[in-house]
Amino acid sequence: MALLLSPPKLVLLAVQQAVTADVECLAALAAHHGAILRKELLLRIILTYLPEALQSSEYVGFIKQLERGAFSEKETKDIDITAVGALSEDEARKRVKKLRLLPLTAPGDAGEAGKDVTTQFLLCRAYRVDEEAGLLNELPGLLTPFLDHDPCIRTLTVSTLLPLLRRNCEYHTERPISYTLHGFQQLPDEVAVNLLLSQTGSREEDLPFVGRDLRGLIGPWLLNEKRWKGRQLKLAPGTESETGLCPGWEHVSTWLTGQASKSWRVAVNAIEQWEGPNDIDSGGLAEAWLNDEERNYLKHTYARAALASTYLISDVSVEALEGAYGIVAKTSLLLDQDPLSPLHTAAGMLPPLAEQVSDELALPRNATYMRNDLLSSSNVLTAPLPSSLVFIQALILSAFIMTKSGCSISVRRAGDLALLQDEREQKSEAAKLIHGLMNGNNKTDDRFWLKMRNEVLWLRDWGAEDESVSPDAPGRGIFGQVKREFLEMEILKAFLANNRFTLARSIYEDPPTPPISKKVLQDTVFSTAQTAYDNASNPNRTRGGLKKCDDIIKAFPKTVEKSLPAAKRIEALLRATHALSEYRLVLKQGEPFTPVVLRVHPDPVSIVGKILEQNPKSYTRIQDLLDLGTQMVKAGLTHKQKSSVKPSPEEELQIEASELDLVERRITALSIDAALTEDDFETAYSYVVNRVSAMKPSLSDEFSWKAALQAGKYRRTARTLRPTHLGTSSANVEIRHLEQRIECLATALRIAPPPTLQEILNAFRRAEEELDAAIKAEDEKEDAWDAQGDILGGQGNMPGTFGGGGEKTRSGRQDGARYGGDGAGHRESARRQEKEEAPMSLFDLSRASVLSAQKNLSALSSLHRTVSSVSSSVQSQEGRVSLDQKSIASVGSDGEELPKQQRARKRDQLREAAMGTLVSGVGWLINAPAPPQGP
C-alpha cells in the first residue's frame, strides 16, 4: 500500500515513523521510495522527530545504510499506512508545508563539516542528544562508527566528547561539569583546563589517580588542531616558540606549577605518574598525530614546568624534598640524561656536583628566577639543560641534609643561600645545622659524627675536587662564603660537647697537617669548655657540666698545656665553683645557684658575703673562704678589663697581686662582720689582731678598717659567746672585752684613711673611759676584798697567820684616832705596816713577790711608753703625713688619748713577760706550772 502513496503522504508517513521511533519501518520506507525520501530529507526528519532519548544503537545502522544508499532485504516488509491513508492530498500537502524540519547545519561548525550532510547530521544529532536528553554517554555509540567518515567527527569525539565524558561520567561523577558538549567545546583553553582538572587530587584518596586524569583528560583534549597554532613553525630540537605553539598546553603547565605551590603532593604525583604530553589515553579512538617539532616542544616545556615545580614546593619536610627529588629524577629521564641515584643514596655518597654547575647559572641575579618567570624561556634555572638539573639536584640534596638534621629549609631557601652568597645568612644556617646535628640520634657513634662533618663540609663546596683551589676560596654550595676554618671550629665544638674526645684528637691534633691551626684549636677548646661551664647546673666539678668542662680542657694534652694562662683561669674557675658546692647558697629567691652566675657576676666576692649570711659558723672557715677568693682572682672574675689594650705579662702580675690583696682584705672583713653578726666577738677579735693588724694601710681598702671599727664598737650582750680561755689577761670578762675592743680600734686607727679618724678616735675615747671605769670598779672591789681578808686574818681565823694581829690593828686604829688624822689613811698605813712586819708563810711570800714585781715594773712600763711614743711620732711623721693638725689637736685636747692607747696595747705584753719571769723563779714554791718554752 505504501507504493500507492503520494509524495506528501510518504513524507508524513516517514515523520510518523520517526516520531514513533519505528526505525525499521522508516528504513523499509526509505528502501522503497528512495527517489522521494532522499538522504538529506530523511536525515532532517530523523534529526527533528526521532526521540533524543532513543539509544544510538537503534538507528546508527539505518544511518550507515542511508549513507551507503543500500538497504537490506528485510526492509521490504509491509508498511502500515493507516495514519496517512484517510488524508486527502490537499490536507497532506498542507501538513507537509507545516513541518519545521531542522537544518543540517552544526552550530559554529558549518565550515568545518563542509557540505557533507551525514557529518552535519551526526554533529547536530550529538549536540541535540546532549542538550535535550542529557545522554552524553550515548554519544560514543553515535559517533564512533563514523570516526573515519570525516576528521571533524574524530576530533569532536576524541578532544571534546571523550574528556568531558570521562570527567563527568567516569572519573569524578560526584562533581560533574555543568556544560553541554557544545558549550564545553566553545570554552577558552584556560577555562577548559581548569574545569577538567578541578577535582584532580582534591582528596587524599585521589592522589594515585592524578596521572590518570592527565593522561585521560588532558592528553586527548590536546589532540585538536584548533588548540595548536603556527604548526608551520619549524623549531630546532631543545627550543621553544616565544609565543607558544599550544596555548592550551601552556595553561596545563601553569596548573601544574600552581599545584606545586599549593599542594605539592598533586604536582609530585602528576609528574611521577605521567610521562608527559606524549602519554595520551585516547581510548583507542586516535593516535597522536604530533610532529617531531611539536613533540620536542611538549617535552621541553613539560621538563621546564617540572623543574619550576621543585622551586615552588614550600614545604620543608623530608617527604616534600623526596618528592622534589623524584621530580628531578623523572625529568632527567625525560631529557635522556643518566638516571639519578635515590635521594638517600645520594645523600650518603655526597657526589661532586660543583664542577657541573655553570658559572652563568650560579650568579646572584638568577635568584629572582626562583620566584618570577619560572616558565619563561629566559629562565636559566628551569631550562631543560643538564646544568640546571645538576643545580636543582644539589639544592635538593642540601635542603635534605639540612632538614633531616633538624634545620629545615626549602629548596628555594637553599637556592637563596647558594646564589646570593650572603655570609651572615650562611653562617647562621651553618650554626643551626650543627646545633641540630648535636641534638640528633646516634650521638654515641663515631660514624655518625664523621658523616656529619663530611656533610657540613660538602654543603660548603658541593664536593669540589679541585685541590689547587685554596681552602678559604668561596665554594659553590649553600655555605660557600663561610670559611672552612669556621665550619671546622663549629664541628669541633659539636664533637667536644658530645664527648667525642678521641675522635676530635684524631682529626684536629694528631695528623701532621691538621685542618685548623694550633691557636684556633686552643681558642675553640677554651670556648667550648666555657660553654659547658655555663650550661652546668651543679657546682660540683665531678658531675654534669663542670665535669665536661674539665674533660674538654684535658682532651688535648699536646695543644692545651696546663701552663697556658687560659687553662689556668679555667682551672681556677672550676676550683672556685667547686668550693661553692660545699655551702648552701641562694642568690635569688626560688632560683638555685648555677655556676654561670659566678662567672658573669659583676661582684663575685659578694657571693662570699651570701655564703656567710646563709651558712652559720662559716666565718670560722676563713682560710677556705680566702682560698675561694684567691681562685676567683686567678680565674679573672674580679678584674673586668675595660681597656681594649691587652696588658703586658708584668702588668697582669701586678694587677693580680693587687686583686689578691684586696680580695683577702675584703673576705677577712666579711668574716669579721659575720662573726659579729653571730655574736662571736672572740673570733672577730682574733681576725682583727692576727690578720687585719698585719695589713699595711691601702687607699683602695675600704673594708678592713670598717671591720676593725665594728669590732671595736661591739658591746657584749647575753648572746655573746664567752671566751673558751682567758690566758694571761684579766679574769674580769668586761675589762678583758674592753681591752680587746680598744686593741681593735687601735688597729682601725692605724689603717683607716685620714677622713675617718675622728669617728674612730671618738669610739676609742669612749672605750678607754669605759675601761678606766671598769678598772676603778675592779680596784675598789679588790680593796674591799683585801680589807675583808685582813679583818678575818686579824681575828686569827686564817690558817698560817700569827696571833697579836688584832691587838696591833686595834692599836693602829687607836693611834689614828689619837693623832686626829684621817681614819681611813691611818688604817691604810697601819695595814701596810702590818704586812711588812708580820711573819710570812710561803703563800704570802709568793704573793708579796708578785706585788713587788708589779710595782717595780711600772717604771719600766713608763720608760717603754715614752720610747714607743717617740717612735710612733717619728713613724707618723714619715708614713702618714696626711694626718691633719685638727686630728692631732683633738687627740691632745681629749686628755692624752694616744698615750692611753699605747698603754692599753702594751700592758698585757709587759704583764705576761713579768709574770713569766716570776713564775720561772719562784713558781716551784707554789706548785705553778712551768711557762711554755719558745719555739
Side-chain angles (χ1 to χ4, degrees):
M1 295 295 298
L3 297 175
L4 303 176
L5 295 177
S6 62
K9 290 184 178 182
L10 286 174
V11 172
L12 292 177
L13 182 59
V15 171
Q16 177 65 28
Q17 301 299 332
V19 170
T20 59
D22 190 351
V23 179
E24 186 177 355
C25 292
L26 182 61
L29 189 63
H32 290 85
H33 303 281
I36 297 173
L37 298 176
R38 298 182 303 277
K39 180 173 68 173
E40 181 178 357
L41 177 59
L42 285 173
L43 290 176
R44 291 182 65 187
I45 291 173
I46 294 172
L47 178 64
T48 307
Y49 293 105
L50 188 67
E52 285 80 6
L54 184 64
Q55 292 184 359
S56 301
S57 59
E58 297 290 333
Y59 60 92
V60 165
F62 172 63
I63 303 300
K64 287 184 177 180
Q65 294 176 7
L66 188 62
E67 174 64 21
R68 292 195 305 266
F71 300 94
S72 59
E73 296 180 357
K74 64 178 182 179
E75 307 298 340
T76 61
K77 69 174 185 176
D78 294 336
I79 302 174
D80 184 8
I81 61 171
T82 305
V84 296
L87 295 176
S88 63
E89 294 299 331
D90 292 338
E91 187 176 357
R93 281 194 294 272
K94 290 180 181 178
R95 289 190 178 185
V96 169
K97 291 181 181 179
K98 292 181 179 179
L99 294 176
R100 298 291 184 263
L101 298 178
L102 296 175
L104 294 178
T105 304
D109 290 306
E112 177 184 347
K115 297 182 179 180
D116 182 65
V117 293
T118 303
T119 301
Q120 293 284 1
F121 165 78
L122 291 172
L123 295 178
C124 293
R125 179 66 181 177
Y127 294 146
R128 285 186 61 81
V129 168
D130 180 42
E131 293 173 359
E132 300 297 333
L135 296 177
L136 191 66
N137 54 350
E138 287 294 327
L139 299 186
L142 171 65
L143 299 178
T144 302
F146 301 95
L147 291 179
D148 296 328
H149 181 76
D150 195 288
C152 69
I153 296 178
R154 184 182 297 273
T155 299
L156 175 67
T157 304
V158 174
S159 68
T160 305
L161 174 59
L162 185 60
L164 183 61
L165 183 64
R166 285 174 171 173
R167 169 65 176 77
N168 287 354
C169 304
E170 185 177 349
Y171 292 172
H172 304 286
T173 57
E174 70 284 354
R175 298 286 299 275
I177 296 176
S178 57
Y179 279 91
T180 63
L181 179 65
H182 181 260
F184 178 75
Q185 189 180 22
Q186 302 301 315
L187 287 176
D189 290 346
E190 181 179 3
V191 177
V193 169
N194 291 334
L195 286 174
L196 287 174
L197 300 176
S198 60
Q199 296 301 311
T200 301
S202 59
R203 298 178 301 179
E204 188 73 22
E205 57 268 25
D206 291 337
L207 290 177
F209 307 109
V210 174
R212 178 205 66 182
D213 287 5
L214 291 169
R215 187 181 304 108
L217 300 180
I218 297 300
W221 181 81
L222 291 173
L223 297 179
N224 188 335
E225 290 189 358
K226 291 173 57 178
R227 296 189 175 94
W228 293 80
K229 61 180 181 180
R231 292 190 62 184
Q232 70 277 9
L233 294 176
K234 302 298 181 180
L235 299 178
T239 63
E240 307 156 28
S241 171
E242 293 295 331
T243 57
L245 281 179
C246 182
W249 170 245
E250 300 291 341
H251 296 306
V252 176
S253 299
T254 302
W255 176 87
L256 186 62
T257 55
Q259 292 299 314
S261 62
K262 294 186 297 183
S263 178
W264 61 268
R265 286 182 175 85
V266 175
V268 170
N269 281 277
I271 296 172
E272 289 184 346
Q273 297 173 22
W274 191 35
E275 299 295 333
N278 293 326
D279 180 13
I280 298 174
D281 178 13
S282 63
L285 301 179
E287 295 182 358
W289 39 259
L290 303 176
N291 57 38
D292 291 340
E293 289 80 8
E294 291 166 343
R295 292 178 185 276
N296 268 336
Y297 163 76
L298 290 177
K299 181 174 73 172
H300 287 91
T301 52
Y302 181 54
R304 183 181 292 279
L307 294 179
S309 299
T310 60
Y311 289 104
L312 292 172
I313 296 177
S314 58
D315 196 338
V316 294
S317 64
V318 171
E319 185 182 2
L321 294 174
E322 290 174 343
Y325 191 83
I327 291 176
V328 177
K330 188 65 175 287
T331 307
S332 179
L333 294 177
L334 183 68
L335 296 175
D336 302 322
Q337 300 295 315
D338 293 335
L340 301 182
S341 302
L343 178 59
H344 290 272
T345 303
M349 296 172 54
L350 299 176
L353 303 176
E355 285 78 8
Q356 302 179 51
V357 178
S358 65
D359 295 336
E360 180 185 357
L361 190 145
L363 295 175
R365 68 168 181 263
N366 291 333
T368 185
Y369 284 131
M370 292 188 294
R371 295 169 176 81
N372 304 315
D373 301 326
L374 285 164
L375 298 177
S376 172
S377 59
S378 62
N379 191 325
V380 296
L381 299 183
T382 59
L385 299 174
S387 179
S388 301
L389 284 172
V390 172
F391 182 71
I392 188 61
Q393 179 189 3
L395 292 183
I396 295 174
L397 274 175
S398 301
F400 177 74
I401 292 173
M402 296 279 288
T403 300
K404 74 181 181 63
S405 301
C407 181
S408 301
I409 64 172
S410 64
V411 177
R412 185 186 296 176
R413 173 61 174 163
D416 286 335
L417 292 172
L419 294 175
L420 297 179
Q421 293 290 314
D422 188 320
E423 182 178 359
R424 186 177 65 177
E425 291 290 331
Q426 291 182 354
K427 275 190 174 182
S428 174
E429 294 295 340
K432 288 194 294 184
L433 168 65
I434 296 174
H435 179 74
L437 289 169
M438 289 171 58
N439 296 328
N441 298 324
N442 302 322
K443 294 194 294 183
T444 59
D445 189 353
D446 282 352
R447 291 176 299 177
F448 168 81
W449 294 105
L450 282 174
K451 180 182 178 183
M452 179 270 282
R453 177 174 179 266
N454 294 334
E455 288 176 346
V456 172
L457 297 180
W458 183 89
L459 290 173
R460 181 180 182 273
D461 53 21
W462 284 344
E465 298 177 337
D466 189 356
E467 298 181 356
S468 63
V469 179
S470 171
D472 293 332
R476 290 283 197 203
I478 63 174
F479 298 154
Q481 288 296 323
V482 181
K483 292 184 178 180
R484 185 187 178 99
E485 182 181 89
F486 173 83
L487 295 177
E488 294 283 10
M489 289 169 54
E490 295 299 317
I491 294 170
L492 175 59
K493 290 178 182 179
F495 285 179
L496 297 179
N498 288 272
N499 302 323
R500 314 316 302 164
F501 304 127
T502 303
L503 178 62
R505 276 196 305 271
S506 66
I507 296 176
Y508 298 102
E509 186 178 56
D510 296 341
T513 55
I516 55 177
S517 65
K518 182 177 180 180
K519 179 64 170 58
V520 173
L521 176 58
Q522 290 175 349
D523 294 341
T524 305
V525 169
F526 293 140
S527 173
T528 309
Q530 179 174 301
T531 301
Y533 176 90
D534 291 345
N535 293 332
S537 58
N538 191 333
N540 192 319
R541 72 178 298 174
T542 62
R543 300 177 184 175
L546 262 64
K547 182 179 185 301
K548 179 179 287 188
C549 175
D550 194 17
D551 292 342
I552 290 174
I553 293 298
K554 297 175 181 176
F556 298 88
K558 300 178 185 178
T559 305
V560 183
E561 298 91 351
K562 294 182 179 180
S563 59
L564 291 176
K568 291 181 178 179
R569 285 194 296 270
I570 292 181
E571 177 62 25
L573 180 61
L574 291 174
R575 290 181 178 178
T577 310
H578 184 75
L580 293 176
S581 66
E582 301 177 7
Y583 302 97
R584 178 184 178 274
L585 183 59
V586 177
L587 300 184
K588 290 184 178 180
Q589 187 68 29
E591 295 184 11
F593 173 79
T594 54
V596 68
V597 175
L598 172 64
R599 192 182 69 82
V600 302
H601 202 286
D603 184 16
V605 182
S606 65
I607 296 178
V608 177
K610 295 289 185 181
I611 293 175
L612 293 169
E613 291 177 8
Q614 300 173 18
N615 297 267
K617 298 296 182 180
S618 57
Y619 60 85
T620 60
R621 301 175 59 181
I622 187 171
Q623 190 57 48
D624 293 341
L625 298 177
L626 289 175
D627 291 342
L628 171 60
T630 300
Q631 299 304 328
M632 288 181 178
V633 174
K634 291 183 177 180
L637 302 179
T638 58
H639 177 64
K640 308 297 183 183
Q641 184 175 347
K642 298 180 181 179
S643 174
S644 59
V645 180
K646 185 178 181 181
S648 63
E650 294 78 10
E651 293 174 341
E652 288 183 350
L653 290 176
Q654 293 177 1
I655 293 173
E656 182 175 319
S658 174
E659 291 289 335
L660 285 172
D661 179 66
L662 184 60
V663 168
E664 180 183 0
R665 293 169 182 266
R666 185 175 177 186
I667 292 178
T668 302
L670 290 171
S671 300
I672 293 172
D673 291 339
L676 295 175
T677 302
E678 298 187 34
D679 294 303
D680 189 355
F681 176 78
E682 292 296 327
T683 301
Y685 166 75
S686 173
Y687 291 164
V688 172
V689 298
N690 293 326
R691 296 180 180 274
V692 179
S693 62
M695 298 176 181
K696 296 180 180 180
S698 174
L699 296 177
S700 60
D701 180 12
E702 59 179 15
F703 312 106
S704 301
W705 68 269
K706 290 182 179 179
L709 175 60
Q710 293 302 318
K713 289 182 177 182
Y714 181 83
R715 295 182 180 276
R716 294 181 69 254
T717 64
R719 297 188 302 273
T720 302
L721 299 179
R722 297 184 64 84
T724 56
H725 65 280
L726 298 177
T728 59
S729 60
S730 173
N732 189 317
V733 178
E734 187 63 33
I735 292 177
R736 180 177 184 275
H737 178 69
L738 288 168
E739 290 173 345
Q740 290 173 326
R741 285 179 56 193
I742 289 174
E743 192 161 0
C744 291
L745 291 170
T747 301
L749 189 64
R750 182 178 66 83
I751 64 175
T756 63
L757 292 179
Q758 185 62 49
E759 178 186 0
I760 302 173
L761 289 173
N762 292 338
F764 193 97
R765 183 184 67 239
R766 288 191 296 270
E768 283 233 327
E769 291 173 353
E770 294 177 11
L771 177 60
D772 291 342
I775 292 175
K776 184 177 181 181
E778 184 183 28
D779 289 343
E780 292 176 354
K781 184 176 180 181
E782 289 179 358
D783 289 344
W785 187 83
D786 290 342
Q788 182 66 24
D790 291 344
I791 294 174
L792 295 176
Q795 296 174 357
N797 294 331
M798 291 293 291
T801 60
F802 297 91
E807 295 179 359
K808 289 184 179 183
T809 303
R810 286 190 297 270
S811 65
R813 283 193 294 269
Q814 292 172 358
D815 291 339
R818 183 183 304 118
Y819 290 104
D822 184 8
H826 286 291
R827 286 194 299 271
E828 181 66 25
S829 176
R831 190 182 304 116
R832 287 195 298 269
Q833 185 176 2
E834 290 178 17
K835 291 180 182 178
E836 293 173 359
E837 294 178 358
M840 295 185 178
S841 64
L842 290 177
F843 179 79
D844 293 333
L845 176 62
S846 299
R847 185 171 183 275
S849 298
V850 173
L851 293 173
S852 177
Q854 288 178 340
K855 293 178 181 178
N856 293 333
L857 287 170
S858 63
L860 179 59
S861 298
S862 300
L863 177 61
H864 187 78
R865 284 197 304 273
T866 303
V867 174
S868 299
S869 177
V870 173
S871 177
S872 299
S873 176
V874 173
Q875 292 178 3
S876 175
Q877 293 175 4
E878 293 178 354
R880 305 189 61 188
V881 296
S882 62
L883 185 63
D884 57 1
Q885 296 298 327
K886 180 178 180 181
S887 299
I888 297 175
S890 65
V891 173
S893 63
D894 288 343
E896 312 236 339
E897 295 285 323
L898 201 52
K900 287 184 180 180
Q901 175 210 12
Q902 296 294 336
R903 181 171 62 253
R905 294 177 59 193
K906 299 303 180 181
R907 179 168 54 218
D908 290 344
Q909 299 177 17
L910 296 175
R911 180 185 299 166
E912 290 173 4
M915 290 300 295
T917 302
L918 179 60
V919 171
S920 64
V922 298
W924 62 274
L925 294 175
I926 60 175
N927 199 23
Q933 299 298 323

